[in-house]
Amino acid sequence: MNQFRKRKMLHQLKKTGSLPSYHKEDVVSPDITTNEQILKAVFKNCSDFVIRPIQLNSETKVLLVYVDGLVDTKALDELVLKPMMFEGLPDHVRTMGQALGRQLVATAQVKTVLKISELVDDVLKANVAILVDGETTALIADLKGFEKRGVEEAASEVTIRGPRDGFTECLRTNTTLLRRRIRSTRLKLEAFTVGELSQTDIAIAYIEGIAPDSLLAEVRTRINRIQIDGILESEYLEEFIEDVPFSPFPQIQNTERPDVVAANLLEGKIAIMVDNTPFALIIPMTFWSGLQAVEDYYERPIYTTFIRFIRFILLNISQFLPSIYVALTTYHPQLIPTGLLVSVIAARETVPFPAIIEALIMEFMFEGLREAGIRLPKPVGSAVSIVGALVIGQAAVQAGIVSAPMVIVVATTGIASFAIPRYNFGTAFRLIRFAMLLLAGALGFYGIVVGFIALTIHLVNLRSFGVPYFSPVAPQIPGNLKDIVIRAPRWAFNYRPVFFSSWNKKRIPKGQKPGSK
């Protein structure tokens, strides 16, 4: 590189802090001083950037480049600095390839790069770059050592029986937890990088021969077309790859449990794990998977089936109970038994608002208490929510602002809504509940029927990566109905779901039903 080009490049670096896009000589220079100037210009005003010069054999200059806080400095001292400073480069060895052959850098993962841009990217990914004067290659040593949270139980999916480990914010830890459960070379983990500035690492997990090739190709396509400055959480990615962005229902399942991811991979689904978040994405998602709890697969099938029936009943209560109450008291009082009607009328005698306004006030207050309980510190959050609900409800009834039956209806609805296992799935029904209330207040039972028909049409037409959201009920697939309302015994799951698996559909051979000989 001549002096004119060098000055031009350094001038560009001082102005922008990055290499010019048209610069064709984005290569490691044999002049170590030039490399040092370029790196200092790239990392200008970065106080955590470290360049440490070393002299070997009294003549060879070496630069160690890393970001303080991302690198394990103790390992850097033991595995890199000591071998290089005390042993030095062996005689007649002046290339980085020969130095690697002599194992001067005692790290498990090392590689060489030829470009400054690659070197900068690797340094920002918690690696150490080693440059030697006179060499046109740089050595990259993996010495990650940043602080990270240990493996703990998943806070959002607590279970009585089952594994207690959950994903963390470290992508490599999460892939390790998955490998511990599926110890096969058919478990594939494809790497992607998304985000112009964040350069977030993403891993697509699937089982070769089980996950459909068409689904895998669609996932790759949707991820590759994302253009964004940064991915800070898996939800960023979710909004870019879902089918219907304005549907209240989630089309991608999220979980922080490795056993849930492993179970879905065995069905033929695909998981997306994002660095810096414990929540993995599972695709495709159906309506029924949003109602399945983790513990459904760790308890006996008879008990699980009973709990699922209760869960579906509570789902309908949380969705329709307030609107049915408003419709009955406003438009169809003749449908209420006489004794109950007299009690309701007596309770509402002093209430100045119609039933629809009363219901909206109480629902709004309940949602406010729920949100406040989440945002408050844990030691006081639950206590404030309970006391607030009791005090406000009792005071409102005594003041004649709302009636006691309405408090009972809203409280029952709130309790029923907590039975929905997945939080983002429950929020969809919380939004639709307000729409049902407005329809009931305007048209009575006719409004509820119209809302129910519209909701059913939307769910039947919704797709998640091409898979019908209501499958296997609509379209009906009799062989896949063993894990919807009921949960069949484990030995009865002979085949994988039709929409999720490729040619390898057989899961468990027949004839394994236990019994006395």
Side-chain angles (χ1 to χ4, degrees), residues 283-299:
I283 51 179
M285 177 184 179
T286 65
F287 177 87
W288 312 104
S289 60
L291 294 173
Q292 293 170 354
V294 179
E295 212 161 0
D296 290 356
Y297 301 94
Y298 299 135
E299 295 289 350

PDB file of all heavy atoms in Angstrom, residues 283-299:
ATOM      1  N   ILE A 283     -41.473 -22.863  15.471  1.00  0.00           N
ATOM      2  CA  ILE A 283     -42.365 -22.697  14.334  1.00  0.00           C
ATOM      3  C   ILE A 283     -42.541 -24.042  13.622  1.00  0.00           C
ATOM      4  O   ILE A 283     -41.626 -24.865  13.607  1.00  0.00           O
ATOM      5  CB  ILE A 283     -41.808 -21.644  13.345  1.00  0.00           C
ATOM      6  CG1 ILE A 283     -40.357 -21.965  12.994  1.00  0.00           C
ATOM      7  CG2 ILE A 283     -41.935 -20.261  13.871  1.00  0.00           C
ATOM      8  CD1 ILE A 283     -39.730 -21.022  12.036  1.00  0.00           C
ATOM      9  N   PRO A 284     -43.747 -24.245  13.072  1.00  0.00           N
ATOM     10  CA  PRO A 284     -44.950 -23.409  13.170  1.00  0.00           C
ATOM     11  C   PRO A 284     -45.683 -23.623  14.490  1.00  0.00           C
ATOM     12  O   PRO A 284     -45.374 -24.565  15.224  1.00  0.00           O
ATOM     13  CB  PRO A 284     -45.789 -23.886  11.989  1.00  0.00           C
ATOM     14  CG  PRO A 284     -45.389 -25.313  11.813  1.00  0.00           C
ATOM     15  CD  PRO A 284     -43.939 -25.409  12.185  1.00  0.00           C
ATOM     16  N   MET A 285     -46.665 -22.762  14.746  1.00  0.00           N
ATOM     17  CA  MET A 285     -47.469 -22.847  15.959  1.00  0.00           C
ATOM     18  C   MET A 285     -48.928 -23.023  15.571  1.00  0.00           C
ATOM     19  O   MET A 285     -49.387 -22.466  14.565  1.00  0.00           O
ATOM     20  CB  MET A 285     -47.305 -21.581  16.800  1.00  0.00           C
ATOM     21  CG  MET A 285     -48.153 -21.539  18.058  1.00  0.00           C
ATOM     22  SD  MET A 285     -48.005 -19.967  18.934  1.00  0.00           S
ATOM     23  CE  MET A 285     -49.131 -20.255  20.308  1.00  0.00           C
ATOM     24  N   THR A 286     -49.662 -23.796  16.358  1.00  0.00           N
ATOM     25  CA  THR A 286     -51.098 -23.965  16.143  1.00  0.00           C
ATOM     26  C   THR A 286     -51.866 -23.444  17.355  1.00  0.00           C
ATOM     27  O   THR A 286     -51.287 -23.161  18.410  1.00  0.00           O
ATOM     28  CB  THR A 286     -51.455 -25.440  15.907  1.00  0.00           C
ATOM     29  OG1 THR A 286     -51.181 -26.197  17.102  1.00  0.00           O
ATOM     30  CG2 THR A 286     -50.671 -26.015  14.745  1.00  0.00           C
ATOM     31  N   PHE A 287     -53.166 -23.325  17.190  1.00  0.00           N
ATOM     32  CA  PHE A 287     -54.041 -22.870  18.266  1.00  0.00           C
ATOM     33  C   PHE A 287     -53.929 -23.795  19.474  1.00  0.00           C
ATOM     34  O   PHE A 287     -53.903 -23.339  20.624  1.00  0.00           O
ATOM     35  CB  PHE A 287     -55.482 -22.820  17.747  1.00  0.00           C
ATOM     36  CG  PHE A 287     -56.494 -22.436  18.779  1.00  0.00           C
ATOM     37  CD1 PHE A 287     -56.782 -21.104  19.024  1.00  0.00           C
ATOM     38  CD2 PHE A 287     -57.186 -23.401  19.512  1.00  0.00           C
ATOM     39  CE1 PHE A 287     -57.722 -20.741  19.980  1.00  0.00           C
ATOM     40  CE2 PHE A 287     -58.125 -23.049  20.462  1.00  0.00           C
ATOM     41  CZ  PHE A 287     -58.398 -21.714  20.702  1.00  0.00           C
ATOM     42  N   TRP A 288     -53.829 -25.082  19.225  1.00  0.00           N
ATOM     43  CA  TRP A 288     -53.857 -26.058  20.316  1.00  0.00           C
ATOM     44  C   TRP A 288     -52.556 -26.083  21.102  1.00  0.00           C
ATOM     45  O   TRP A 288     -52.559 -26.360  22.307  1.00  0.00           O
ATOM     46  CB  TRP A 288     -54.192 -27.434  19.744  1.00  0.00           C
ATOM     47  CG  TRP A 288     -55.367 -27.378  18.829  1.00  0.00           C
ATOM     48  CD1 TRP A 288     -55.366 -27.419  17.469  1.00  0.00           C
ATOM     49  CD2 TRP A 288     -56.736 -27.194  19.211  1.00  0.00           C
ATOM     50  NE1 TRP A 288     -56.639 -27.287  16.979  1.00  0.00           N
ATOM     51  CE2 TRP A 288     -57.501 -27.152  18.022  1.00  0.00           C
ATOM     52  CE3 TRP A 288     -57.390 -27.068  20.445  1.00  0.00           C
ATOM     53  CZ2 TRP A 288     -58.886 -26.978  18.038  1.00  0.00           C
ATOM     54  CZ3 TRP A 288     -58.759 -26.899  20.459  1.00  0.00           C
ATOM     55  CH2 TRP A 288     -59.493 -26.863  19.266  1.00  0.00           C
ATOM     56  N   SER A 289     -51.438 -25.815  20.442  1.00  0.00           N
ATOM     57  CA  SER A 289     -50.173 -25.773  21.178  1.00  0.00           C
ATOM     58  C   SER A 289     -50.134 -24.594  22.139  1.00  0.00           C
ATOM     59  O   SER A 289     -49.407 -24.623  23.132  1.00  0.00           O
ATOM     60  CB  SER A 289     -49.000 -25.688  20.200  1.00  0.00           C
ATOM     61  OG  SER A 289     -49.089 -24.530  19.387  1.00  0.00           O
ATOM     62  N   GLY A 290     -50.931 -23.542  21.872  1.00  0.00           N
ATOM     63  CA  GLY A 290     -51.002 -22.421  22.798  1.00  0.00           C
ATOM     64  C   GLY A 290     -51.737 -22.761  24.080  1.00  0.00           C
ATOM     65  O   GLY A 290     -51.630 -22.034  25.073  1.00  0.00           O
ATOM     66  N   LEU A 291     -52.490 -23.853  24.075  1.00  0.00           N
ATOM     67  CA  LEU A 291     -53.250 -24.266  25.258  1.00  0.00           C
ATOM     68  C   LEU A 291     -52.626 -25.468  25.963  1.00  0.00           C
ATOM     69  O   LEU A 291     -53.221 -25.987  26.907  1.00  0.00           O
ATOM     70  CB  LEU A 291     -54.696 -24.604  24.861  1.00  0.00           C
ATOM     71  CG  LEU A 291     -55.534 -23.428  24.355  1.00  0.00           C
ATOM     72  CD1 LEU A 291     -56.879 -23.923  23.845  1.00  0.00           C
ATOM     73  CD2 LEU A 291     -55.747 -22.413  25.455  1.00  0.00           C
ATOM     74  N   GLN A 292     -51.471 -25.908  25.506  1.00  0.00           N
ATOM     75  CA  GLN A 292     -50.822 -27.062  26.117  1.00  0.00           C
ATOM     76  C   GLN A 292     -49.744 -26.604  27.088  1.00  0.00           C
ATOM     77  O   GLN A 292     -48.882 -25.801  26.734  1.00  0.00           O
ATOM     78  CB  GLN A 292     -50.216 -27.950  25.026  1.00  0.00           C
ATOM     79  CG  GLN A 292     -51.265 -28.597  24.145  1.00  0.00           C
ATOM     80  CD  GLN A 292     -50.666 -29.267  22.923  1.00  0.00           C
ATOM     81  OE1 GLN A 292     -49.473 -29.160  22.667  1.00  0.00           O
ATOM     82  NE2 GLN A 292     -51.494 -29.956  22.158  1.00  0.00           N
ATOM     83  N   ALA A 293     -49.808 -27.100  28.300  1.00  0.00           N
ATOM     84  CA  ALA A 293     -48.826 -26.762  29.330  1.00  0.00           C
ATOM     85  C   ALA A 293     -47.694 -27.785  29.322  1.00  0.00           C
ATOM     86  O   ALA A 293     -47.837 -28.903  28.823  1.00  0.00           O
ATOM     87  CB  ALA A 293     -49.487 -26.720  30.701  1.00  0.00           C
ATOM     88  N   VAL A 294     -46.568 -27.390  29.887  1.00  0.00           N
ATOM     89  CA  VAL A 294     -45.405 -28.279  29.942  1.00  0.00           C
ATOM     90  C   VAL A 294     -45.729 -29.542  30.720  1.00  0.00           C
ATOM     91  O   VAL A 294     -45.348 -30.652  30.330  1.00  0.00           O
ATOM     92  CB  VAL A 294     -44.216 -27.536  30.589  1.00  0.00           C
ATOM     93  CG1 VAL A 294     -43.010 -28.442  30.685  1.00  0.00           C
ATOM     94  CG2 VAL A 294     -43.894 -26.274  29.803  1.00  0.00           C
ATOM     95  N   GLU A 295     -46.470 -29.386  31.795  1.00  0.00           N
ATOM     96  CA  GLU A 295     -46.739 -30.512  32.685  1.00  0.00           C
ATOM     97  C   GLU A 295     -47.695 -31.531  32.080  1.00  0.00           C
ATOM     98  O   GLU A 295     -47.834 -32.642  32.609  1.00  0.00           O
ATOM     99  CB  GLU A 295     -47.325 -29.990  33.999  1.00  0.00           C
ATOM    100  CG  GLU A 295     -46.954 -30.826  35.188  1.00  0.00           C
ATOM    101  CD  GLU A 295     -47.149 -30.060  36.481  1.00  0.00           C
ATOM    102  OE1 GLU A 295     -47.567 -28.896  36.432  1.00  0.00           O
ATOM    103  OE2 GLU A 295     -46.864 -30.641  37.528  1.00  0.00           O
ATOM    104  N   ASP A 296     -48.344 -31.191  30.961  1.00  0.00           N
ATOM    105  CA  ASP A 296     -49.245 -32.143  30.311  1.00  0.00           C
ATOM    106  C   ASP A 296     -48.524 -33.408  29.886  1.00  0.00           C
ATOM    107  O   ASP A 296     -49.148 -34.465  29.747  1.00  0.00           O
ATOM    108  CB  ASP A 296     -49.892 -31.499  29.076  1.00  0.00           C
ATOM    109  CG  ASP A 296     -50.890 -30.420  29.448  1.00  0.00           C
ATOM    110  OD1 ASP A 296     -51.121 -30.233  30.665  1.00  0.00           O
ATOM    111  OD2 ASP A 296     -51.429 -29.763  28.550  1.00  0.00           O
ATOM    112  N   TYR A 297     -47.204 -33.308  29.670  1.00  0.00           N
ATOM    113  CA  TYR A 297     -46.451 -34.449  29.160  1.00  0.00           C
ATOM    114  C   TYR A 297     -45.603 -35.112  30.232  1.00  0.00           C
ATOM    115  O   TYR A 297     -44.843 -36.037  29.922  1.00  0.00           O
ATOM    116  CB  TYR A 297     -45.575 -33.984  27.995  1.00  0.00           C
ATOM    117  CG  TYR A 297     -46.389 -33.379  26.882  1.00  0.00           C
ATOM    118  CD1 TYR A 297     -46.607 -32.007  26.820  1.00  0.00           C
ATOM    119  CD2 TYR A 297     -47.009 -34.193  25.937  1.00  0.00           C
ATOM    120  CE1 TYR A 297     -47.385 -31.452  25.819  1.00  0.00           C
ATOM    121  CE2 TYR A 297     -47.788 -33.649  24.929  1.00  0.00           C
ATOM    122  CZ  TYR A 297     -47.977 -32.274  24.876  1.00  0.00           C
ATOM    123  OH  TYR A 297     -48.758 -31.729  23.886  1.00  0.00           O
ATOM    124  N   TYR A 298     -45.735 -34.656  31.466  1.00  0.00           N
ATOM    125  CA  TYR A 298     -45.014 -35.275  32.576  1.00  0.00           C
ATOM    126  C   TYR A 298     -45.952 -35.874  33.618  1.00  0.00           C
ATOM    127  O   TYR A 298     -45.498 -36.322  34.668  1.00  0.00           O
ATOM    128  CB  TYR A 298     -44.091 -34.248  33.248  1.00  0.00           C
ATOM    129  CG  TYR A 298     -43.036 -33.692  32.322  1.00  0.00           C
ATOM    130  CD1 TYR A 298     -42.759 -32.339  32.283  1.00  0.00           C
ATOM    131  CD2 TYR A 298     -42.314 -34.534  31.482  1.00  0.00           C
ATOM    132  CE1 TYR A 298     -41.794 -31.825  31.421  1.00  0.00           C
ATOM    133  CE2 TYR A 298     -41.350 -34.037  30.625  1.00  0.00           C
ATOM    134  CZ  TYR A 298     -41.097 -32.680  30.601  1.00  0.00           C
ATOM    135  OH  TYR A 298     -40.141 -32.176  29.752  1.00  0.00           O
ATOM    136  N   GLU A 299     -47.244 -35.840  33.340  1.00  0.00           N
ATOM    137  CA  GLU A 299     -48.231 -36.450  34.231  1.00  0.00           C
ATOM    138  C   GLU A 299     -48.972 -37.560  33.487  1.00  0.00           C
ATOM    139  O   GLU A 299     -48.891 -37.676  32.255  1.00  0.00           O
ATOM    140  CB  GLU A 299     -49.230 -35.402  34.737  1.00  0.00           C
ATOM    141  CG  GLU A 299     -48.619 -34.320  35.609  1.00  0.00           C
ATOM    142  CD  GLU A 299     -48.204 -34.828  36.977  1.00  0.00           C
ATOM    143  OE1 GLU A 299     -48.561 -35.978  37.313  1.00  0.00           O
ATOM    144  OE2 GLU A 299     -47.515 -34.082  37.697  1.00  0.00           O
TER     145      GLU A 299
END
